[in-house]
């Protein structure tokens, strides 16, 4: 197709929408120089056309009607930045139906309805870019789908929710409770509209679903991801972890072995000396392990106006280049025309090391009782700490296990928590990284 300018319409003039508009306007000449043709911001639709976003827009391009933007035959690429499932899905399908290409940052939509959208696209000569949906500015989609094509990916894991990482960092550095750290994250505007998505691991699981599909050729599997958030993490556990040489991070983990992939999101104890443990605040970091590359770590800003807009503009430009060169559809959604047949491992069969904090009455024989149940459930203890004495009162009793099966741990804790000498539900955190021998 020969066209002089590629025209872009944005639906959603919030933080990221404003960032994309700003970059397209400020860098119009620079992009034209690099691409050899102009990329023009031709329309923006948002219900709020009054609020000043501090951008001088060309006259008449901001409208309050997304349908009018979708009906504009001049627009080649529609950028969906309203988030959520509805009406974002309908807008995207409508754009694709009209033969327009789409760029989106909508991780929740892709993780839950991505298969539907890609199926819809199958017979159409259209593209859907979603680099900004995972880890903001880090080009992890392109890395996994294109740059690492020579590899069989064995594992992808990392910190992909800045808000929960900010909260855990705050709790670690300032020894504050979860609720206080969350309030601060909200005040700074880091948390999603509904902070449940951030702190319960849901946003992380959305992003992991997308990464796992690209990495292992599996359908979007958000519902099958074991997801546990950070709301039960306490300063007490953070201190014990630190004394044992670990930091606690909310990790997204996808690991492949034996034709199966395990998909899980949960707070994880990581050795302090491991690079990923030093990723603090709102930053993201992702390890990719491949059979050709070994292990690589990608690090950067995972949210925010300009970092996320950077990823959106990269997709706009990729699509624009493909339109210009007549190579639309060169790379399919997941980067492969067929899925792989890799199955998702049931969480109960996942192996991990564990940190346990029992709240047990301090009296003779209790340690052996607990250890006895763990032993009977095939859980081998690596180390034990009990600090302080409160005769006949509950004290924290901390144990680290060797590798154990999730189902054995669930069974053991069910029994231990029923003991009359155990006063509170046992806290447990899975451990990744070195084994202390
Ligand atoms: N709430 C998300 C985060 C925003 O904290 O990472 C980016 O997806």
């Amino acid at each position: 197709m020969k066209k002089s300018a590629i025209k872009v319409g944005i639906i959603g003039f919030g933080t990221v929408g404003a960032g994309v508009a700003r970059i397209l306007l400020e860098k119009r000449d620079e992009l034209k120089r690099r691409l050899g043709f102009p990329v023009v911001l031709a329309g923006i639709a948002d219900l709020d056309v009054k609020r000043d976003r501090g951008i001088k827009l060309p006259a008449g391009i901001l409208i309050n009607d997304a349908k009018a933007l979708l009906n504009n035959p001049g627009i080649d690429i529609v950028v969906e930045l309203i988030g959520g499932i509805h009406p974002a899905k309908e807008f995207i399908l409508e754009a694709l139906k009209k033969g327009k290409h789409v760029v989106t940052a909508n991780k929740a939509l892709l993780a839950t309805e991505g298969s539907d959208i890609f199926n819809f696209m199958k017979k159409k000569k259209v593209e859907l870019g979603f680099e900004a949906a995972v880890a903001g500015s880090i080009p992890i989609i392109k890395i996994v789908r294109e740059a690492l094509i020579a590899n069989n990916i064995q594992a992808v894991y990392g910190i992909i929710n800045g808000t929960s990482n900010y909260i855990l960092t705050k709790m670690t550095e300032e020894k504050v409770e979860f609720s206080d750290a969350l309030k601060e994250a909200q005040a700074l505007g880091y948390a999603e509209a509904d902070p449940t998505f951030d702190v319960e691991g849901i946003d992380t699981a959305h992003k992991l679903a997308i990464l796992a599909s690209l990495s292992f050729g599996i359908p979007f599997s958000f519902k099958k991801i074991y997801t546990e958030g950070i709301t039960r993490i306490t300063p007490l556990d953070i201190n014990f972890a630190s004394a044992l040489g670990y930091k606690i991070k909310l990790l997204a983990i996808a690991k492949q072995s034996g034709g199966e992939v395990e998909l899980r999101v949960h707070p994880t104890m990581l050795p302090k000396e491991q690079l990923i443990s030093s990723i603090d605040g709102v930053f993201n970091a992702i390890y990719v392990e491949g059979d050709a590359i070994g292990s690589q770590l990608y690090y950067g800003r995972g949210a925010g106006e300009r970092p996320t807009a950077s990823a959106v503009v990269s997709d706009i430009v990729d699509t624009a280049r493909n339109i210009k060169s007549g190579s639309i559809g060169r790379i399919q959604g997941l980067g492969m025309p067929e899925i792989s047949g890799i199955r998702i491992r049931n969480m109960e069969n996942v192996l991990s090391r564990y940190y346990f904090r029992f709240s047990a009455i301090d009296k003779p024989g209790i340690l052996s009782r607990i250890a006895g149940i763990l032993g009977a459930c095939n859980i081998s203890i690596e180390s034990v700490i009990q600090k302080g004495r409160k005769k006949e009162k509950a004290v924290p009793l901390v144990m680290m296990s060797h590798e154990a099966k999730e189902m054995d741990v669930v069974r053991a804790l069910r029994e231990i928590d029923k003991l009359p000498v155990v006063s509170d539900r046992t806290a447990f955190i899975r451990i990744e990284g070195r084994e202390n021998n």
Side-chain angles (χ1 to χ4, degrees), residues 72-287:
N72 179 342
I75 288 180
D76 305 285
I77 303 171
V78 170
V79 183
E80 180 277 307
L81 295 172
I82 57 173
I85 310 298
H86 304 290
K89 183 178 178 187
E90 290 70 26
F91 288 159
I92 288 178
L93 292 180
E94 188 60 23
L96 297 171
K97 207 152 105 192
K98 289 187 175 349
K100 296 184 191 303
H101 310 286
V102 172
V103 173
T104 179
N106 197 330
K107 55 237 157 149
L109 177 63
L110 288 178
T112 54
E113 312 269 335
S115 303
D116 243 24
I117 295 173
F118 285 127
N119 278 339
F120 182 83
M121 284 174 65
K122 266 192 183 141
K123 288 184 211 98
K124 303 206 159 24
K125 270 276 198 197
V126 281
E127 285 198 352
L128 178 90
F130 52 96
E131 184 63 70
V134 183
S137 66
I138 306 173
I140 194 70
I141 304 295
K142 191 165 252 186
I143 286 166
V144 171
R145 194 169 56 175
E146 297 173 50
L148 300 184
I149 193 75
N151 290 262
N152 283 340
I153 293 180
Q154 292 140 344
V156 185
Y157 59 101
I159 299 165
I160 49 178
N161 180 270
T163 308
S164 52
N165 202 41
Y166 175 86
I167 292 172
L168 289 174
T169 304
K170 196 98 193 143
M171 289 175 73
T172 306
E173 285 175 357
E174 296 175 21
K175 311 211 178 312
V176 295
E177 294 289 340
F178 166 79
S179 52
D180 295 324
L182 169 62
K183 268 187 217 135
E184 187 146 347
Q186 283 175 309
L188 289 167
Y190 293 148
E192 293 283 299
D194 178 356
T196 321
F197 275 32
D198 290 310
V199 299
E200 295 293 2
I202 298 163
D203 178 74
T204 305
H206 284 149
K207 294 166 180 166
L208 181 63
I210 299 170
L211 270 186
S213 291
L214 299 173
S215 306
F216 304 107
I218 56 173
F220 291 106
S221 308
F222 167 69
K223 288 207 176 109
K224 295 188 182 154
I225 298 178
Y226 173 85
T227 306
E228 197 185 299
I230 59 167
T231 53
R232 276 185 287 164
I233 298 295
T234 61
L236 185 63
D237 292 316
I238 291 176
N239 283 344
F240 273 119
S242 178
L244 291 158
Y246 291 86
K247 273 177 104 169
I248 301 175
K249 297 286 181 192
L250 180 68
L251 227 61
I253 302 173
K255 280 189 199 171
Q256 192 204 163
S257 60
E260 288 188 340
V261 62
E262 52 191 62
L263 300 178
R264 45 195 171 106
V265 171
H266 52 69
T268 308
M269 276 171 48
L270 293 158
K272 278 183 187 171
E273 71 273 10
Q274 204 172 321
L275 262 179
I276 197 164
S277 298
S278 57
I279 309 303
D280 284 332
V282 288
F283 280 84
N284 283 193
I286 306 169
Y287 273 103

Side-chain angles (χ1 to χ4, degrees), residues 175-423:
K175 311 211 178 312
V176 295
E177 294 289 340
F178 166 79
S179 52
D180 295 324
L182 169 62
K183 268 187 217 135
E184 187 146 347
Q186 283 175 309
L188 289 167
Y190 293 148
E192 293 283 299
D194 178 356
T196 321
F197 275 32
D198 290 310
V199 299
E200 295 293 2
I202 298 163
D203 178 74
T204 305
H206 284 149
K207 294 166 180 166
L208 181 63
I210 299 170
L211 270 186
S213 291
L214 299 173
S215 306
F216 304 107
I218 56 173
F220 291 106
S221 308
F222 167 69
K223 288 207 176 109
K224 295 188 182 154
I225 298 178
Y226 173 85
T227 306
E228 197 185 299
I230 59 167
T231 53
R232 276 185 287 164
I233 298 295
T234 61
L236 185 63
D237 292 316
I238 291 176
N239 283 344
F240 273 119
S242 178
L244 291 158
Y246 291 86
K247 273 177 104 169
I248 301 175
K249 297 286 181 192
L250 180 68
L251 227 61
I253 302 173
K255 280 189 199 171
Q256 192 204 163
S257 60
E260 288 188 340
V261 62
E262 52 191 62
L263 300 178
R264 45 195 171 106
V265 171
H266 52 69
T268 308
M269 276 171 48
L270 293 158
K272 278 183 187 171
E273 71 273 10
Q274 204 172 321
L275 262 179
I276 197 164
S277 298
S278 57
I279 309 303
D280 284 332
V282 288
F283 280 84
N284 283 193
I286 306 169
Y287 273 103
V288 182
E289 288 177 12
D291 56 353
I293 55 164
S295 179
Q296 292 188 339
L297 177 67
Y298 304 92
Y299 162 75
R301 288 187 165 76
E305 178 185 316
R306 285 180 83 83
T308 312
S310 162
V312 171
V313 171
S314 147
D315 275 342
I316 293 173
V317 165
D318 272 359
T319 306
R321 281 180 160 143
N322 287 346
I323 297 172
K324 282 286 181 184
S325 62
S327 46
I328 279 295
R330 189 177 70 87
I331 299 167
Q332 301 86 355
L334 293 181
M336 58 199 93
E338 279 176 38
I339 56 168
S340 66
I342 293 175
R343 295 177 311 279
I344 296 168
R345 181 165 300 148
N346 202 319
M347 186 62 190
E348 61 182 24
N349 292 323
V350 164
L351 290 169
S352 176
R353 292 167 59 225
Y354 290 81
Y355 155 98
F356 300 113
R357 177 173 50 79
F358 304 102
S359 302
I361 305 288
D362 187 10
K363 67 178 195 186
I366 302 306
L367 178 61
S368 69
R369 222 97 180 245
I370 291 176
I373 296 175
L374 292 174
C377 293
N378 309 313
I379 300 163
S380 163
I381 299 161
E382 183 216 85
S383 57
V384 180
I385 313 178
Q386 187 188 338
K387 282 198 181 138
R389 276 218 76 184
K390 281 193 195 151
K391 236 175 163 199
E392 303 286 318
K393 289 228 169 81
V395 286
L397 170 64
V398 168
M399 290 188 195
M400 309 266 282
S401 81
H402 290 292
E403 205 164 64
K405 219 177 224 183
E406 178 83 9
M407 70 167 116
D408 291 333
V409 169
V410 171
R411 194 156 52 96
L413 294 189
R414 206 180 293 139
E415 247 187 84
I416 291 168
D417 285 353
K418 270 197 257 164
L419 295 175
V421 289
V422 169
S423 64

